[in-house]
Amino acid sequence: MDAHSYQDYASTGQGLVLVPTGATEQHGPHMPMGVDAMLSRAVCSAVAEDLGALVAPAFCYGYKSQPRSGGGNHRSGTTSLSAQALILQTRDVILEFFRHGIRRVAVVNGHYENYQFLYEGVDLAVREARAMGLEDSRAMLLSYWDFVDDTTLEAVYPDGFPGWEIEHGGVLETSLMLHLHPEKVDMSRAPAHPPAELTPYDVFPEDPARTPSSGCLSSPAGATAQRGELLLHAVRSGITRAVTSEFGK
């Protein structure tokens, strides 16, 4: 988008910007390291069509992958930010949108470990904007998977949903990628091991033997493009309703 068209959009005072956030993180042997940002960007694009919003460039680096949700930060290819870096990046970018004249920002998280640090950055940005006199500045923060309803979960996981804590590189992400970016998925390399058995605590330094060597915490077996389409529909409609409820249309 050129800067002049963007200025026209922002100057209305009614603009809405969706900010996709992800990570650069291994997702097993069958998918690329950019999955989190790719899926968050695609979700934002779909919601933006419904709301007439703009989609910002994605955050392609995220907070440290953790063994019990992403396989661990020690894994090759996983390239992470510190908490402080992610907080400040979030604050600075959102403040810039407010400075431009945008008054509604929705941050769409696609990397489990990001959430609390995005929260801090969003909170700081809104506080600082209002202290600067931009009293109508508002923001939302959400993770897209929280909008997958029970009916969709039952359709995607007919044998029972294993839980979000082990859905790294598994059926949900793989199905969405098969629907949105099928050329980036190689199911012939998809692991077929049982779900990871994780402890309710962490150890430092990380022990690679505590999580599957594939990097996936559950098997993507059963992932299909059709299930990805169901998931995207649920997420898109749920986020659209939530943003409309909070910001209007």
Side-chain angles (χ1 to χ4, degrees), residues 188-208:
S188 71
R189 303 187 67 196
H193 54 66
E197 295 183 8
L198 303 174
T199 61
Y201 55 85
D202 295 296
V203 296
F204 302 85
E206 292 181 13
D207 178 2

Side-chain angles (χ1 to χ4, degrees), residues 102-175:
I102 298 296
R103 290 295 176 266
R104 301 178 299 163
V105 176
V107 178
V108 178
N109 181 37
H111 176 61
Y112 188 87
E113 290 88 342
N114 280 348
Y115 197 89
Q116 296 303 329
F117 309 110
L118 295 173
Y119 188 104
E120 180 70 4
V122 172
D123 182 57
L124 290 173
V126 172
R127 287 174 183 235
E128 291 184 34
R130 289 180 170 235
M132 293 161 53
L134 305 176
E135 293 289 341
D136 52 349
S137 301
R138 299 182 65 202
M140 292 180 66
L141 171 63
L142 58 96
S143 295
Y144 74 79
W145 50 83
D146 285 332
F147 294 84
V148 180
D149 59 278
D150 290 341
T151 300
T152 303
L153 282 178
E154 290 172 5
V156 173
Y157 299 91
D159 297 326
F161 178 52
W164 294 122
E165 65 275 12
I166 58 169
E167 247 303 326
H168 179 74
V171 170
L172 179 136
E173 290 180 315
T174 304
S175 292

Side-chain angles (χ1 to χ4, degrees), residues 53-65:
L54 299 183
V55 179
F59 287 15
C60 291
Y61 294 96
Y63 184 66
K64 299 166 188 171
S65 176

Side-chain angles (χ1 to χ4, degrees), residues 9 16-18 47-55:
Y9 180 84
L16 168 63
V17 171
L18 306 177
V47 172
E49 289 182 8
D50 296 337
L51 298 177
L54 299 183
V55 179

